[in-house]
Amino acid sequence: MLLAVAMTAGAVAVGGDGQDAARALPGVSRAVDAEVLLRGDLDTAIRSLQTHVRQRPRDFGAWATLGLAQVERARTDGDPSRYARAERALARSLALRPGNDRALAGQAALAAARHDFAAALDHADRALERNPYSERALCSRIDALMELGRYEEAARAATVADRRRPGVPVFTRYAYVRELRGDVRTARRVLHQALADASGPADVAYVATALGNLERGRGRYGVALRHYARALAADDAHLPALEGRARAQAAAGDRAGAITTLEQVVARSPLPGPLVALGELYEDRGDRAKAREQYALVDAWTALARAGGVDVDLDTALAAADHGDTAEALRAARAEWGRRRTVHTADALAWALHREGRSAEALPYARRATATGYRDAAFLHHRGMIEKATGHLRAARASLTAALELNPGFSPLGARAARAALKDLEAAR
């Protein structure tokens, strides 16, 4: 999920009604689309837009762009309080110009950021009724369908978006749709095409990071690190690239370098993914006290996120299953499965059930998580451990071997557990 959330935090695009928001930055021509503003420095864009709407409070386009900018900033700095500011700005835009597609597309992005993907889909569809070429709405529609587990529809939506608004935001989503269906070759080709088409530093950093994540997931750590280096050369503060580099460093054996990099990430954006990754690296080196501090920070972030209207059940399930209250992990995973049935929620529910000692119930969900063709070493590890617990020993050997062959450093603790389980299985033959 967090990979899915990082993917949608790149270049923001808005389409449709007028160009008034382009005046928000000094010296910017009205002819420049508002999406260009949001592909630069978000803090500068937000400050300039705030000044602009104070001076021209009836500029509905600027209010919509400000709302989108707040959504994107929240995604990058991990501050869920920004979502309320985004909501107010978008509501103001709609009050000034009811039904304008920019604000509707912004509401789709906000709903997706809060993990309300059904609402995101509804807002995106309404925006596209107004403006079928709204890049932001086209992209939000793909995101929502993927996060609802409606993969065939997401693939069709990606094809439509590619026909209407080909470009970096659409290409990256198209690539992810292909990856979820097991077509890594096409995903890689499309991302390379997107990188060739990327012009600004933000787009280069975004696409290069996506390529790094793809290659890291395949165990190609040297290639991944080169992509992250390119991303950071374009934008040395790009947090997803820093996190990806840290994970690749850890997988390649540079645990000290990985810890240093992740400490930089969580100091600026204490999101669950990097917090858990850093905690596991501390735990791996025997520093359990520091590890517990990181896991506690996950709980603190989820409380803040809930207060900001974010559905955090998947984050809770993933973190708590291994590093917290397994009963709470199961409750959260069941709640999330009730809302959306993706490979990620299937894996989370399977693992939560297993950790609660209910492996027989877990097995169908673990199989479902790996049924689309999507290849993820953590999913294979979870499936293998569940198969081992349920007596499917041959299948367990196959799943655990596949996990370690695909990405031998997928997790410092998970990979160690997979190797130990395989050793036990071999000894029992």
Side-chain angles (χ1 to χ4, degrees):
M1 176 65 214
L2 285 170
L3 285 176
V5 168
M7 182 185 71
T8 61
V12 178
V14 292
D17 303 280
Q19 301 295 331
D20 286 340
R23 298 182 216 162
L25 294 183
V28 175
S29 165
R30 285 187 65 192
V32 178
D33 197 291
E35 66 190 63
V36 175
L37 304 181
L38 298 184
R39 284 180 177 156
D41 184 325
L42 279 173
D43 289 328
T44 300
I46 288 170
R47 286 193 299 269
S48 297
L49 285 162
Q50 287 170 333
T51 299
H52 179 82
V53 296
R54 282 195 294 269
Q55 296 169 350
R56 299 188 60 194
R58 298 193 62 78
D59 186 345
F60 74 91
W63 280 109
T65 306
L66 176 59
L68 272 166
Q70 293 284 17
V71 171
E72 296 308 310
R73 197 69 188 95
R75 284 169 165 168
T76 55
D77 68 10
D79 179 5
S81 70
R82 289 185 182 272
Y83 294 138
R85 300 175 221 172
E87 188 171 19
R88 289 192 294 270
L90 295 167
R92 178 64 174 156
S93 177
L94 286 166
L96 290 166
R97 180 70 65 87
N100 80 81
D101 71 270
R102 287 189 179 192
L104 290 170
Q107 286 186 323
L110 175 59
R114 285 173 158 170
H115 301 174
D116 185 353
F117 297 105
L121 181 60
D122 179 63
H123 290 311
D125 284 340
R126 290 170 59 207
L128 291 168
E129 287 175 4
R130 294 275 181 163
N131 175 14
Y133 293 88
S134 167
E135 188 178 67
R136 176 69 266 170
L138 288 165
C139 290
S140 289
R141 190 169 195 276
I142 300 167
D143 294 342
L145 288 167
M146 285 193 293
E147 295 302 333
L148 290 168
R150 294 160 62 173
Y151 298 130
E152 293 299 324
E153 291 175 78
R156 290 194 294 272
T159 299
V160 169
D162 185 44
R163 185 171 65 247
R164 292 181 186 174
R165 289 297 298 270
V168 166
V170 172
F171 291 162
T172 50
R173 286 163 172 83
Y174 187 92
Y176 188 55
V177 169
R178 301 308 306 180
E179 184 185 357
L180 282 174
R181 301 172 80 183
D183 187 359
V184 173
R185 179 176 296 180
T186 298
R188 183 182 289 116
R189 177 179 57 77
V190 171
L191 286 175
H192 278 289
Q193 180 183 345
L195 188 57
D197 290 347
S199 54
D203 282 350
V204 171
Y206 177 50
V207 181
T209 299
L211 270 167
N213 292 340
L214 181 74
E215 300 298 0
R216 176 170 53 82
R218 315 272 81 73
R220 301 175 69 191
Y221 307 130
V223 177
L225 285 167
R226 288 195 292 274
H227 287 306
Y228 295 134
R230 181 166 181 181
L232 292 167
D235 178 0
D236 61 3
H238 191 62
L239 287 172
L242 283 170
E243 181 184 345
R245 184 176 73 178
R247 291 178 181 273
Q249 287 172 320
D254 181 8
R255 302 292 171 86
I259 288 173
T260 299
T261 306
L262 276 175
E263 287 173 340
Q264 297 172 28
V265 173
V266 301
R268 291 168 50 198
S269 181
L271 291 167
L275 284 169
V276 169
L278 181 57
E280 290 191 349
L281 285 168
Y282 285 146
E283 194 171 340
D284 183 60
R285 78 177 186 186
D287 195 339
R288 294 185 179 276
K290 274 196 168 185
R292 285 193 296 271
E293 289 175 8
Q294 306 311 306
Y295 305 145
L297 285 172
V298 174
D299 294 336
W301 182 89
T302 55
L304 287 172
R306 282 196 183 97
V310 183
D311 166 26
V312 293
D313 280 333
L314 185 58
D315 301 286
T316 298
L318 292 170
D322 284 322
H323 308 295
D325 183 342
T326 57
E328 173 61 11
L330 181 55
R331 181 213 61 76
R334 284 197 186 283
E336 197 67 13
W337 181 253
R339 284 186 288 270
R340 54 197 184 100
R341 302 193 169 187
T342 69
V343 293
H344 297 88
T345 51
D347 171 70
L349 180 53
W351 194 238
L353 283 164
H354 170 71
R355 295 286 291 170
E356 271 285 278
R358 299 163 68 171
S359 300
E361 292 177 63
L363 187 55
Y365 295 105
R367 288 171 173 166
R368 183 161 178 166
T370 55
T372 68
Y374 179 53
R375 301 273 289 168
D376 183 280
F379 287 15
L380 290 166
H381 163 234
H382 291 164
R383 176 172 172 162
M385 298 299 280
I386 292 165
E387 287 167 336
K388 180 174 182 286
T390 54
H392 296 81
L393 304 188
R394 181 178 297 177
R397 279 192 292 271
S399 295
L400 293 168
T401 300
L404 292 170
E405 287 179 349
L406 177 66
N407 184 1
F410 68 90
S411 157
L413 302 183
R416 182 200 300 170
R419 287 192 292 270
L422 266 178
K423 185 176 180 180
D424 289 345
L425 287 166
E426 292 302 318
R429 291 182 95 173

